[in-house]
Amino acid sequence: MQRIALFSLVLLTWMSAPQAGLLTPAAAADEVIPHAQDKPPGPALSPQEAIAKMTVPPGFHVELVASEPEIVNPVAMTFDERGRVWITESLEYPRLDAGAGRDRIKVLEDTDGDGCADKFTVFAEGFNIPSGIAVGHGGVWVANAPDILFLQDTDGDGRADKQEVVVTGFGRDDTHELPNSLTWGPDGWLYGLNGVFNSSTVEQGDKKHEFTCALFRIHPRTREFQLFAQGTSNPWGVAWDPEGSAFVSACVIDHLWHLAESGYYIRQGGPYPPFTDPMRSIVDHKHQKAAYCGIHYFDSDAYPPEFRDRLYMGNIHGNCLNVDVLERRGASYFATAAPDFLSANDAWFMPVVQKTGPDGCLYVLDWYDRYHCYQDARRDPDGIDRLKGRLYRIRYQDSPRAEKFDLAAEADSQLIARLHSPNVYFRDIAQRILAERNDPETKQALETLATDGTTARKTRLHALWALIGGGPLSLEFHRSLLANAEPGFRAWGVRAAGNAAGIDETIKQQVIALATDPAAEVRLQVAVAAGKLQGVEPIPLLVDVLAASGDDPLIRHIVWQNLHPLLEVQAEPFFDLVATSDSTRAAATDWLLEKSIDRVLASSNPKSVLALVDYVSRRPEAHPAALSRSLNSLATRLQNREVSAEQLAALRPRLEAVVATVLSSHGEDRELHDASALLAATWNDPRAVKVVRAMFATESSRTERRAQALHALVAARDESLEALVTPLFANPPAHPVELRHAAVDALGRLDANWVGQLMLTHYPMLEAELRPKAVELLCERTAWAEQLIDAVGKQQLPSSVLNANQVRQLLVKADQRLAEKVKAQWGSVRDERNPQREEVIAHMRGFLRNTPGDALAGQAVFKRVCGQCHKLHGEGEDIGPDITLNGRNSFEQLLSNVFDPSLVIGAAYLAQTIVTADGRVLTGLVAESSPQRVVLKMQGGKQEVVARADVELMKTSALSLMPED
């Protein structure tokens, strides 16, 4: 039955997909359609044929700069001080293991000025998927996981002869998500990206950075490594706007993100750090499909004004260049779509990098391959084309070629003149070289230029960034910068103060005063700097920033990101501040108090928890909402066993006094009264248990409140539970289905045989969407699982009620009797991918083409089966990937994802099985992991919290949480 149901789902999604009509059975039989493509890509085109098919706006044309055989499999690109192009080539792709390889770094040069590269030099070789490159500070920086390398040519022969490992520890779990896009930031640091399925650990001194998707940076002089911001998905490309703000493009989820320092942004998958409130993207539109590579802020007078000052992004699956236009909104931005700049009309076109060249034109590096994604690369690594690669220039009319130059040979005065260039290429490189030289006399000239109000703003900012990149600012200049009339300059003054190792006391006071600056971008940088300024109390500063910022979403996010870690040890001064805040801070402190309750109650520091309880219980009538929230949150953590016995012993006398006071008030504040009863019932207070029983039994009570009562009674192991819960399932029409969901969620914490019998007795009466959840519950404990298998053996339930992963889950505890029952019913259970998967897919390909489908039946199957873990057009649960735009772009992709789901599993989607100290077995995806607890996202939308102290065994599955059969 389940296999037939999946057939129906495949038919539903295939028949409803807008591209369905593009594939005929004959075409599919001749050639496999690569991932995320709508039809076979056809044969490769020559560079000239490819250019002929490209469309660009009127007045523009595409020129070939270089192509195979001189460049093949190009991955990364940059320009140097002489206008030469540096690229990395990878013949090793998609190799997972580290070590020496065949990959190279090449330098491309146009020696005769005709616009075409005619000299190709191998600078270094022996690499293994070098995925990022930058030139500066006397050498070449290369991302070659697990390392970031610094290469130098010390004897001037054009080849590297010295190599330094700057940092190491980057993963190679997914070679599409390696450290990439090495790019000089306006502050002089070297920035790079890492992807969501590429777990990395970089250790430096006493610091250990564990991360996946992140924007990191490295100081070119000190080699210090920092995480600048985290989140998104597989970001590939960093762009800086004229204000020095960072933007990245990302895949699968929203495509464009503004990243602020210390921010944490929505992830494609995987757990967030505890108490993270992730920031969203800056778009509400989408372009073609969802795979991006490269992003560039174009700023050059070689193009007409309507094509300048906008972001250009390479769309891999769309085979084009998308364009977005930025608009400032408070501390952040909002972007809207502009027409595509280039359409290749060729499925082989893969634009991996976009850069402005010395002639002011946009250059596009093209990997050029029919395979775009890891699905194809892993399925058919021999089918990857390793013989092609192109570099294009998009030129407007007959814009002039660049004349020969060498910025490295120019005097500082000439480089300062370059800062006035309308071409950002010259401004960027002149700025970097000036920062590298860091000449004291030149710094005075740069200070004068940066503060000259008659000079163009872009020029002044580049002068400022040359100063910041060179090292600490002079005291007088820094003071004047913080008092500058333009907010962007004040913001950079704050940022420079935060990045400095030590600053003058007068600078600190100026930064503190800017917490209430009228400009959002200034307040944002104060929030970022608050925890960096030595000798400055960060909490009052953060509260002041928030109080002056209203509901600006980015500032709220950054304030919270920087404040909540402090609450572990600074809760008492925080609550003292809240208690003494005046009316100007009231809105900020109220919001922070609401946000801080869960964080403080989760603290491993008992003093912090006591500080919260004491604060909200000093005058309950003054803070009834905060006290209710605190008591509810504490009750939940007690139920989850997140509060240790020692912590509870310290808290309980104070809590009992609060509860007694509230319960004696005869329910004058209903919310507070109920919260007090729920908390006391959790530790089995007889008076409170009686109140909570009535709360659950009162059918007119809110469903949410009745669910809370049930959780409290389960924690108390109340003897009346069976009698209270049975009517929910025996007479479904009389009770909300949401309450049955809550009961299934709660009952797993009871080690009682009646729970299993209750689920099995009433299984036929359960709603379709609740049945998988009930089966998941029955798999959690050995006794219940035996009851379930016995029911299957007696044919009271079909064997298909359990999927393959649930059958595997039954074997985790190694109970001999249970294992024998499983074997008798299902035989030997595989713990690896189905060895017949190719035959299954081939069979299903033919079956689905020749068997009529039923879309309405398929929709019902989706809700009952797939919707337990996936969203489709807003329906379903958020466990696995949202498949509205991902995973079903073509018939072949859909077949692979449904019938061979373990072909490729991102680290964030690896199932974890936990065995608890009291014998439960739970399987799901990790949503949160901390020293205090593990949160699992489980089938059906349930989130199970397991105290870290209760974890007896935690095992990672090699198979997808989505069953094969």
Side-chain angles (χ1 to χ4, degrees), residues 27 58 62 150 167 178 195 278 302 425 434 444 462 475 480 500 522 654 762 778 800 861 886 893:
V62 181
F150 181 61
V167 295
L178 298 172
Y425 162 85
L434 288 166
Q444 293 180 6
H462 279 280
L475 180 58
S480 69
V522 179
R654 188 75 180 107
H762 298 100
L778 290 167
S800 60
V861 170
N886 183 41
Q893 180 187 358

Side-chain angles (χ1 to χ4, degrees), residues 173-174 196-199 212 269-271 905-912 925 956:
D173 300 329
D174 184 341
V196 67
F197 299 133
N198 194 44
S199 299
T212 55
I905 314 172
Y909 296 120
L910 288 172
Q912 297 284 341
L925 301 181
T956 302

Side-chain angles (χ1 to χ4, degrees), residues 3 6-7 10 35 374-376 378-380 805 808 830 832-842 844-845 848 870 887 891-906 958-965:
R3 181 175 288 276
L6 284 172
F7 293 173
V10 174
H35 178 82
Y374 57 82
Q375 288 93 337
D376 294 305
R378 294 195 183 178
R379 174 184 56 79
D380 181 23
N805 286 346
R808 292 187 190 97
R830 287 182 292 100
E832 73 284 336
R833 286 170 65 202
N834 183 356
Q836 280 82 47
R837 55 190 176 270
E838 295 297 339
E839 290 89 336
V840 171
I841 290 174
M844 289 308 305
R845 184 183 294 115
L848 291 172
H870 295 282
F891 184 46
E892 290 297 323
Q893 180 187 358
L894 189 63
L895 283 174
S896 175
N897 286 346
V898 171
F899 297 109
D900 190 13
S902 297
L903 171 64
V904 179
I905 314 172
L959 296 176
S960 170
L961 188 64
M962 177 176 169
E964 289 177 321
D965 59 349

Side-chain angles (χ1 to χ4, degrees), residues 22-184:
L22 297 175
L23 176 67
T24 65
D30 294 336
E31 187 176 356
V32 172
I33 299 176
H35 178 82
Q37 298 185 38
D38 303 325
K39 56 186 177 181
L45 302 177
S46 69
Q48 292 72 26
E49 291 171 330
I51 289 175
K53 292 192 70 173
M54 293 177 180
T55 56
V56 289
F60 289 88
H61 60 279
V62 181
E63 298 178 339
L64 183 68
V65 179
S67 66
E68 66 272 8
E70 282 79 14
I71 63 172
V72 296
N73 269 44
V75 178
M77 177 184 86
T78 192
F79 283 94
D80 71 5
E81 301 93 334
R82 293 161 53 186
R84 299 181 302 175
V85 179
W86 295 66
I87 68 165
T88 67
E89 297 179 322
S90 180
L91 301 174
E92 296 292 346
Y93 166 82
R95 176 179 159 187
L96 292 173
D97 62 295
R102 300 167 292 165
D103 297 345
R104 303 171 293 231
I105 296 171
K106 279 185 179 176
V107 184
L108 284 58
E109 192 170 357
D110 173 13
T111 62
D112 57 12
D114 66 351
C116 297
D118 50 52
K119 182 179 179 182
F120 302 86
T121 304
V122 176
F123 177 75
E125 52 195 332
F127 302 104
N128 183 352
I129 317 185
S131 46
I133 187 166
V135 176
H137 287 266
V140 180
W141 306 73
V142 180
N144 185 67
D147 307 321
I148 304 294
L149 304 172
F150 181 61
L151 310 177
Q152 289 180 291
D153 169 18
T154 62
D155 58 11
D157 67 352
R159 290 185 62 89
D161 50 54
K162 184 178 180 181
Q163 177 175 298
E164 170 195 353
V165 176
V166 179
V167 295
T168 191
F170 288 92
R172 295 183 67 94
D173 300 329
D174 184 341
T175 49
H176 292 75
E177 312 216 355
L178 298 172
N180 65 84
S181 307
L182 297 184
T183 308
W184 294 109

Side-chain angles (χ1 to χ4, degrees), residues 236-259:
W236 199 287
V238 186
W240 305 93
D241 77 347
E243 296 299 305
S245 297
F247 300 87
V248 302
S249 61
C251 295
V252 181
I253 55 176
D254 285 351
H255 66 277
L256 184 58
W257 304 78
H258 165 221
L259 301 191

Side-chain angles (χ1 to χ4, degrees), residues 23 106 158 211 213 274 360-361 379 399 409 511 592 600 637 699 719 861 885 957 962:
L23 176 67
K106 279 185 179 176
F211 58 95
C213 43
C361 297
R379 174 184 56 79
S399 58
V511 171
L592 285 173
V600 173
R637 294 188 178 278
E699 294 183 5
E719 61 187 17
V861 170
L885 293 174
S957 173
M962 177 176 169

Side-chain angles (χ1 to χ4, degrees), residues 859 862-863 866-878 882-884:
Q859 188 174 32
F862 175 82
K863 289 181 179 179
C866 310
Q868 299 296 314
C869 290
H870 295 282
K871 280 186 178 292
L872 179 67
H873 298 300
E875 291 191 25
E877 300 294 341
D878 184 20
D882 187 323
I883 58 176
T884 306

Side-chain angles (χ1 to χ4, degrees), residues 588-621:
T589 53
D590 285 350
W591 184 79
L592 285 173
L593 177 60
E594 180 75 9
K595 291 279 293 179
S596 299
I597 288 169
D598 283 342
R599 174 65 186 90
V600 173
L601 291 176
S603 173
S604 59
N605 181 1
K607 290 184 178 180
S608 295
V609 182
L610 280 169
L612 170 61
V613 175
D614 284 342
Y615 170 74
V616 296
S617 61
R618 287 174 198 166
R619 291 190 303 122
E621 71 283 0

